[in-house]
Amino acid sequence: MTPPAPTADRPLACIVMAGGKGTRMRSATPKVLHPIWGRPLVGWVLAAVRGAGAERIVVVVPPDAADAVGAAVGDAETVVQENQLGTGDAVRVAMPALDGFSGDVLVVSGDTPLLTAELLGDLVAAHRASGAQATLATFRLDEPGGYGRVIRAGGSIRIVEARDATDDELAVREVNAGLYVFAADALRPALDGLGTDNAQGELYLPDAIPLVAAAGGLVDAAEIADPALLLGVNTRVELAEAAALLRARLLEAHMLAGAGIVDPDSTYIDADVVLEPDCVVHPGTVLRGATHLAAGAEAGPHSVLDGAVLEAGAQAGPFAHLRPGTHLRAGARVGAFAETKNADVGARSKIPHLSYVGDAEIGEDTNIGAGNITANYDGVDKHRTVIGSRVRTGSDCVFVAPVSVGDDATTGAGSIITDDVPPGALGIARARQVVKENYAQRRRDD
Ligand code: UD1
Ligand code: CA
C-alpha cells in the first residue's frame, strides 16, 4: 500500500486519559491532582500537549473527581467516564466531544508528567511523515514488568498486556508507552470494534492498532530512545521519582537561561517561578508559586519565597520568609527571621531583622528596626499599615493597623503605634521608665 502524502497541516486534537481511580496512591486526592512543584500532575501533561500544538484537548475524568479535575485543567474540555471500563472505553467516552473532527488525535495518559512537547511533536511528525493512520510509541526495557508487550510479526503490530501474555510474549522487551497518534476517522470505527475478551474484561485501547490495520490502514510504531520521559506515576514512590526528575529539568533550564543557582542540590523551584538572567538563588532556598526574581535580585540562603516579586538588586535572606503579595522594589532588603505578606516594600528600604510585615506599604529608603510587627488583624478584618519614605522605626515597634507613619518620621523603640504619626514627627508610645535609687541596699535592709 502506498502511503498517502504527508499531512503536516492536519489539525491536532488530544485526549488525556485520566479517568482511572489511582487507588495505588492510597490518597483521598485524585491521582492527577497530586502536585509536583506547584502544578498538578495532569498540568504537566497538559503543558506538553499544548506545547506540541494541540488545538483541542479533551480530558477524561472519573465521576467523583470531575469538578476538582475540571478546575485544574484550565481551558481544556472534560468528559466524565462513568465506569472505569478500560483505556479503550476512556477514549470512546471522549470521542463525541470531537464529533466532526477529522484531523489527528494524540492520546496520552494523565499520569505521565515527564512527557515533553518535543517528544509529542516528534511523534506527531513521524505519524504524518509515514502517512500512518495509527502510530504507537514504544520503548525498550530490560525488565518490562507490567507493560504491554509489542508483538511484531510479518509487518503486523499488536500489543498484548502482561496479564494476557504467553511466556514467549513476556520475554519481549519492546513495550507500549501508552502514547498514540490516530487519524480520527480511522480511530472511530476501531473503537467500535473493541472487545473485552481479556484477563481484565476491559476495553483495551492498544487493541485498536490491529483493528486499524485490519480496516486497511497503515500502522506504525515509533521507538522512543529515553524511557525516563515516559515514567508513569501510579504510587507515591513514583510521584517522588517524577518530582526529582522534573526538579532537575527545571533547575537546568533556569541555569542555562542565565539564572545563578549556587547549589542545585538544595534548591527547590516551582514550575511557574520566573528567574531573570543574573539573579542569584543561594543554598537551601525554596521558591514557590508565582515568585519572580529580576536581574541582580538575590534569594537565600535558607529562605522561602512564595509568590514574591523581587525587582533588580532586591534581596531576601538569609532565613527570610516572603509570602504571597510581597513586592520588593529595586534594592529593597528583607533579612534574617523576617516574614512578609501582602507587603509593598519601596526602593532601598530594609526590614533587616526579626520582623513581621503584612498588609503594609513602605516607601523608599525606609529602615524598619529590629523586631517590628504590623498588627494587621483585629480578629475579624485585615487592615493596612502605611509607612512613608525615609522613615526610621525604632526596635520592637508594633503598628496597630489601620495606621500610617508619614515621610521622614521616626518612631521610638518599644512603641505600640495606634495613632497616625505625621510626616517628620516622632511617634513614641511607651511608659516612662521609673528609676528607684538604692534599691539593692533597701532590699538588704529589709
Ligand atoms: C497501559 C497499556 C499498556 C502500556 C501502559 C503504558 C492498556 C490496556 N494498557 O497499561 O499496554 O504498556 O499503559 O503505561 O491500555 N484510564 C482511564 N479509564 C480507564 C482506565 C484507565 O482513563 O477506564 C486512564 C488512567 O487514568 C491512566 C491511563 O488511562 O492515566 C492508563 O491506565 P492504566 O490503568 O494505568 O494502564 P496500564 O495498566 O498502565
Ligand atoms: Ca499506568
Side-chain angles (χ1 to χ4, degrees):
M1 170 177 181
T2 22
T7 48
D9 54 352
R10 214 148 57 181
L12 182 68
C14 179
I15 295 171
V16 179
M17 298 182 291
K21 293 200 179 81
T23 44
R24 283 171 285 175
M25 294 295 284
R26 298 184 180 276
S27 170
T29 303
K31 177 165 80 176
V32 294
L33 295 185
H34 278 262
I36 297 182
W37 311 122
R39 187 186 274 175
L41 199 44
V42 68
W44 289 91
V45 177
L46 289 170
V49 165
R50 288 192 178 104
E55 29 196 276
R56 303 263 323 261
I57 302 174
V58 182
V59 185
V60 180
V61 299
D64 53 343
D67 291 346
V69 179
V73 300
D75 55 6
E77 298 163 58
T78 54
V79 296
V80 175
Q81 186 187 21
E82 291 298 341
N83 302 297
Q84 276 65 51
L85 302 177
T87 50
D89 181 62
V91 173
R92 209 142 89 163
V93 165
M95 283 311 278
L98 298 176
D99 209 21
F101 176 84
S102 69
D104 291 317
V105 183
L106 175 66
V107 181
V108 304
S109 292
D111 61 357
T112 50
L114 276 298
L115 291 179
T116 62
E118 193 189 11
L119 172 76
L120 298 178
D122 287 351
L123 186 68
V124 172
H127 170 81
R128 288 174 175 175
S130 70
Q133 275 75 54
T135 302
L136 150 90
T138 73
F139 61 105
R140 270 171 212 281
L141 288 176
D142 288 341
E143 292 179 22
Y147 285 93
R149 307 299 201 271
V150 178
I151 311 298
R152 297 169 181 263
S156 76
I157 299 173
R158 68 186 172 88
I159 288 102
V160 56
E161 292 304 306
R163 291 185 224 216
D164 300 298
T166 63
D167 286 348
D168 280 353
E169 289 167 338
L170 283 175
V172 172
R173 290 183 180 169
E174 185 181 15
V175 298
N176 171 22
L179 182 61
Y180 319 78
V181 190
F182 292 96
D185 297 329
L187 177 58
R188 286 188 189 91
L191 291 172
D192 289 338
L194 293 178
T196 54
D197 183 15
N198 53 57
Q200 297 187 84
E202 288 187 351
L203 296 166
Y204 287 170
L205 180 61
D207 290 347
I209 300 285
L211 288 171
V212 169
L218 181 69
V219 305
D220 192 20
E223 191 177 324
I224 288 163
D226 184 1
L229 298 177
L230 302 162
L231 175 70
V233 172
N234 298 301
T235 65
R236 288 181 185 268
V237 174
E238 287 163 342
L239 182 71
E241 279 169 21
L245 291 165
L246 288 166
R247 174 172 164 236
R249 190 190 282 177
L250 282 169
L251 288 164
E252 186 179 302
H254 281 303
M255 289 185 279
L256 291 174
I261 295 177
V262 177
D263 179 24
D265 286 347
S266 67
T267 303
Y268 301 82
I269 299 182
D270 273 2
D272 294 330
V273 167
V274 177
L275 300 182
E276 293 186 26
D278 287 322
C279 69
V280 180
V281 184
H282 293 283
T285 296
V286 181
L287 304 181
R288 291 197 174 128
T291 291
H292 183 137
L293 267 53
E298 298 196 31
H302 302 289
S303 297
V304 178
L305 280 64
D306 186 356
V309 175
L310 272 60
E311 290 187 11
Q315 290 180 28
F319 306 108
H321 185 192
L322 274 55
R323 293 167 52 203
T326 297
H327 188 145
L328 305 189
R329 309 265 167 188
R333 247 202 78 195
V334 175
F337 309 106
E339 176 177 329
T340 59
K341 188 207 71 182
N342 280 333
D344 187 339
V345 183
R348 299 170 304 280
S349 287
K350 296 185 182 68
I351 307 171
H353 349 260
L354 303 162
S355 291
Y356 171 70
V357 174
D359 297 303
E361 197 180 306
I362 297 173
E364 299 180 351
D365 299 299
T366 284
N367 191 76
I368 302 296
N372 280 205
I373 305 282
T374 57
N376 54 337
Y377 188 50
D378 62 13
V380 182
D381 294 312
K382 298 267 172 90
H383 300 285
R384 283 188 82 71
T385 299
V386 179
I387 296 176
S389 292
R390 299 171 304 281
V391 171
R392 298 283 173 269
T393 71
S395 296
D396 202 19
C397 287
V398 176
F399 298 90
V400 182
V403 73
S404 73
V405 178
D407 291 346
D408 302 293
T410 300
T411 62
S415 292
I416 310 292
I417 301 293
T418 53
D419 297 329
D420 291 351
V421 180
L426 166 67
I428 184 157
R430 64 183 187 223
R432 277 211 167 272
Q433 182 171 332
V434 177
V435 176
K436 302 199 173 177
E437 300 288 354
N438 297 322
Y439 180 66
Q441 184 61 50
R442 271 188 280 127
R443 271 182 60 162
R444 251 178 271 129
D445 294 346
D446 287 347

mmCIF file of all heavy atoms in Angstrom, residues 161-180:
data_model
loop_
_atom_site.group_PDB
_atom_site.id
_atom_site.type_symbol
_atom_site.label_atom_id
_atom_site.label_comp_id
_atom_site.label_asym_id
_atom_site.label_seq_id
_atom_site.Cartn_x
_atom_site.Cartn_y
_atom_site.Cartn_z
ATOM 1 N N GLU A 161 -1.177 -7.330 26.677
ATOM 2 C CA GLU A 161 -0.946 -6.909 28.059
ATOM 3 C C GLU A 161 -0.213 -8.022 28.805
ATOM 4 O O GLU A 161 -0.418 -9.214 28.517
ATOM 5 C CB GLU A 161 -2.280 -6.600 28.751
ATOM 6 C CG GLU A 161 -2.985 -5.381 28.203
ATOM 7 C CD GLU A 161 -2.107 -4.129 28.246
ATOM 8 O OE1 GLU A 161 -1.586 -3.797 29.323
ATOM 9 O OE2 GLU A 161 -1.920 -3.497 27.196
ATOM 10 N N ALA A 162 0.606 -7.626 29.780
ATOM 11 C CA ALA A 162 1.413 -8.612 30.509
ATOM 12 C C ALA A 162 0.540 -9.728 31.066
ATOM 13 O O ALA A 162 0.896 -10.906 31.015
ATOM 14 C CB ALA A 162 2.199 -7.913 31.618
ATOM 15 N N ARG A 163 -0.647 -9.356 31.583
ATOM 16 C CA ARG A 163 -1.516 -10.367 32.200
ATOM 17 C C ARG A 163 -2.065 -11.386 31.215
ATOM 18 O O ARG A 163 -2.502 -12.454 31.621
ATOM 19 C CB ARG A 163 -2.725 -9.689 32.849
ATOM 20 C CG ARG A 163 -2.388 -8.879 34.049
ATOM 21 C CD ARG A 163 -3.691 -8.385 34.628
ATOM 22 N NE ARG A 163 -3.567 -6.987 34.981
ATOM 23 C CZ ARG A 163 -4.149 -6.450 36.031
ATOM 24 N NH1 ARG A 163 -4.929 -7.178 36.791
ATOM 25 N NH2 ARG A 163 -3.985 -5.192 36.295
ATOM 26 N N ASP A 164 -2.092 -10.974 29.921
ATOM 27 C CA ASP A 164 -2.661 -11.855 28.908
ATOM 28 C C ASP A 164 -1.581 -12.579 28.106
ATOM 29 O O ASP A 164 -1.896 -13.335 27.195
ATOM 30 C CB ASP A 164 -3.513 -11.026 27.928
ATOM 31 C CG ASP A 164 -4.657 -10.316 28.629
ATOM 32 O OD1 ASP A 164 -5.512 -11.016 29.198
ATOM 33 O OD2 ASP A 164 -4.678 -9.065 28.618
ATOM 34 N N ALA A 165 -0.291 -12.309 28.432
ATOM 35 C CA ALA A 165 0.791 -12.755 27.555
ATOM 36 C C ALA A 165 1.237 -14.180 27.852
ATOM 37 O O ALA A 165 1.164 -14.656 28.981
ATOM 38 C CB ALA A 165 1.986 -11.807 27.703
ATOM 39 N N THR A 166 1.725 -14.862 26.811
ATOM 40 C CA THR A 166 2.380 -16.166 26.983
ATOM 41 C C THR A 166 3.813 -15.906 27.456
ATOM 42 O O THR A 166 4.289 -14.768 27.404
ATOM 43 C CB THR A 166 2.459 -16.915 25.638
ATOM 44 O OG1 THR A 166 3.289 -16.147 24.750
ATOM 45 C CG2 THR A 166 1.072 -17.077 25.012
ATOM 46 N N ASP A 167 4.499 -16.970 27.869
ATOM 47 C CA ASP A 167 5.880 -16.808 28.323
ATOM 48 C C ASP A 167 6.762 -16.217 27.231
ATOM 49 O O ASP A 167 7.597 -15.349 27.499
ATOM 50 C CB ASP A 167 6.460 -18.142 28.807
ATOM 51 C CG ASP A 167 5.881 -18.531 30.165
ATOM 52 O OD1 ASP A 167 5.232 -17.666 30.797
ATOM 53 O OD2 ASP A 167 6.058 -19.691 30.578
ATOM 54 N N ASP A 168 6.560 -16.659 25.992
ATOM 55 C CA ASP A 168 7.358 -16.123 24.877
ATOM 56 C C ASP A 168 7.086 -14.631 24.705
ATOM 57 O O ASP A 168 8.005 -13.843 24.473
ATOM 58 C CB ASP A 168 7.014 -16.845 23.558
ATOM 59 C CG ASP A 168 7.722 -18.198 23.473
ATOM 60 O OD1 ASP A 168 8.552 -18.473 24.366
ATOM 61 O OD2 ASP A 168 7.435 -18.949 22.520
ATOM 62 N N GLU A 169 5.843 -14.250 24.807
ATOM 63 C CA GLU A 169 5.484 -12.832 24.643
ATOM 64 C C GLU A 169 6.040 -11.990 25.796
ATOM 65 O O GLU A 169 6.519 -10.877 25.588
ATOM 66 C CB GLU A 169 3.965 -12.682 24.540
ATOM 67 C CG GLU A 169 3.415 -13.212 23.214
ATOM 68 C CD GLU A 169 1.895 -13.367 23.211
ATOM 69 O OE1 GLU A 169 1.285 -13.476 24.298
ATOM 70 O OE2 GLU A 169 1.321 -13.379 22.104
ATOM 71 N N LEU A 170 6.009 -12.554 27.003
ATOM 72 C CA LEU A 170 6.546 -11.826 28.162
ATOM 73 C C LEU A 170 8.037 -11.523 28.012
ATOM 74 O O LEU A 170 8.545 -10.566 28.588
ATOM 75 C CB LEU A 170 6.314 -12.622 29.452
ATOM 76 C CG LEU A 170 4.888 -12.585 30.011
ATOM 77 C CD1 LEU A 170 4.769 -13.509 31.222
ATOM 78 C CD2 LEU A 170 4.497 -11.160 30.415
ATOM 79 N N ALA A 171 8.744 -12.353 27.228
ATOM 80 C CA ALA A 171 10.181 -12.154 27.042
ATOM 81 C C ALA A 171 10.494 -10.969 26.125
ATOM 82 O O ALA A 171 11.635 -10.510 26.060
ATOM 83 C CB ALA A 171 10.813 -13.427 26.477
ATOM 84 N N VAL A 172 9.481 -10.431 25.439
ATOM 85 C CA VAL A 172 9.699 -9.293 24.531
ATOM 86 C C VAL A 172 9.991 -8.039 25.346
ATOM 87 O O VAL A 172 9.308 -7.758 26.331
ATOM 88 C CB VAL A 172 8.453 -9.077 23.636
ATOM 89 C CG1 VAL A 172 8.567 -7.790 22.832
ATOM 90 C CG2 VAL A 172 8.252 -10.276 22.723
ATOM 91 N N ARG A 173 11.015 -7.312 24.950
ATOM 92 C CA ARG A 173 11.413 -6.138 25.727
ATOM 93 C C ARG A 173 10.882 -4.825 25.180
ATOM 94 O O ARG A 173 10.993 -3.783 25.831
ATOM 95 C CB ARG A 173 12.934 -6.054 25.796
ATOM 96 C CG ARG A 173 13.480 -7.158 26.668
ATOM 97 C CD ARG A 173 14.969 -7.021 26.775
ATOM 98 N NE ARG A 173 15.501 -8.085 27.606
ATOM 99 C CZ ARG A 173 16.791 -8.349 27.717
ATOM 100 N NH1 ARG A 173 17.664 -7.625 27.037
ATOM 101 N NH2 ARG A 173 17.204 -9.309 28.492
ATOM 102 N N GLU A 174 10.364 -4.850 23.963
ATOM 103 C CA GLU A 174 9.787 -3.614 23.422
ATOM 104 C C GLU A 174 8.368 -3.492 23.989
ATOM 105 O O GLU A 174 7.555 -4.406 23.850
ATOM 106 C CB GLU A 174 9.744 -3.639 21.890
ATOM 107 C CG GLU A 174 9.259 -2.312 21.318
ATOM 108 C CD GLU A 174 9.182 -2.291 19.797
ATOM 109 O OE1 GLU A 174 9.230 -3.356 19.155
ATOM 110 O OE2 GLU A 174 9.063 -1.171 19.259
ATOM 111 N N VAL A 175 8.100 -2.375 24.666
ATOM 112 C CA VAL A 175 6.802 -2.226 25.337
ATOM 113 C C VAL A 175 6.032 -1.021 24.815
ATOM 114 O O VAL A 175 6.597 -0.098 24.209
ATOM 115 C CB VAL A 175 6.965 -2.098 26.878
ATOM 116 C CG1 VAL A 175 7.608 -3.351 27.438
ATOM 117 C CG2 VAL A 175 7.737 -0.846 27.248
ATOM 118 N N ASN A 176 4.721 -1.059 25.077
ATOM 119 C CA ASN A 176 3.820 0.018 24.679
ATOM 120 C C ASN A 176 3.949 1.181 25.660
ATOM 121 O O ASN A 176 3.772 1.013 26.859
ATOM 122 C CB ASN A 176 2.388 -0.548 24.690
ATOM 123 C CG ASN A 176 1.334 0.525 24.494
ATOM 124 O OD1 ASN A 176 1.621 1.597 23.964
ATOM 125 N ND2 ASN A 176 0.117 0.219 24.920
ATOM 126 N N ALA A 177 4.244 2.358 25.143
ATOM 127 C CA ALA A 177 4.412 3.537 26.001
ATOM 128 C C ALA A 177 3.070 4.112 26.452
ATOM 129 O O ALA A 177 3.035 4.991 27.310
ATOM 130 C CB ALA A 177 5.209 4.601 25.254
ATOM 131 N N GLY A 178 1.980 3.654 25.864
ATOM 132 C CA GLY A 178 0.673 4.201 26.238
ATOM 133 C C GLY A 178 0.442 5.575 25.616
ATOM 134 O O GLY A 178 -0.315 6.394 26.148
ATOM 135 N N LEU A 179 1.077 5.819 24.491
ATOM 136 C CA LEU A 179 1.079 7.117 23.833
ATOM 137 C C LEU A 179 0.854 6.850 22.339
ATOM 138 O O LEU A 179 1.594 6.068 21.750
ATOM 139 C CB LEU A 179 2.467 7.711 24.085
ATOM 140 C CG LEU A 179 2.845 9.072 23.605
ATOM 141 C CD1 LEU A 179 1.941 10.098 24.247
ATOM 142 C CD2 LEU A 179 4.296 9.349 24.001
ATOM 143 N N TYR A 180 -0.184 7.475 21.779
ATOM 144 C CA TYR A 180 -0.586 7.106 20.421
ATOM 145 C C TYR A 180 -0.972 8.346 19.612
ATOM 146 O O TYR A 180 -1.401 9.346 20.174
ATOM 147 C CB TYR A 180 -1.831 6.214 20.427
ATOM 148 C CG TYR A 180 -1.860 5.154 21.508
ATOM 149 C CD1 TYR A 180 -2.198 5.486 22.824
ATOM 150 C CD2 TYR A 180 -1.583 3.829 21.204
ATOM 151 C CE1 TYR A 180 -2.235 4.520 23.821
ATOM 152 C CE2 TYR A 180 -1.620 2.846 22.195
ATOM 153 C CZ TYR A 180 -1.946 3.198 23.499
ATOM 154 O OH TYR A 180 -1.989 2.240 24.470
#
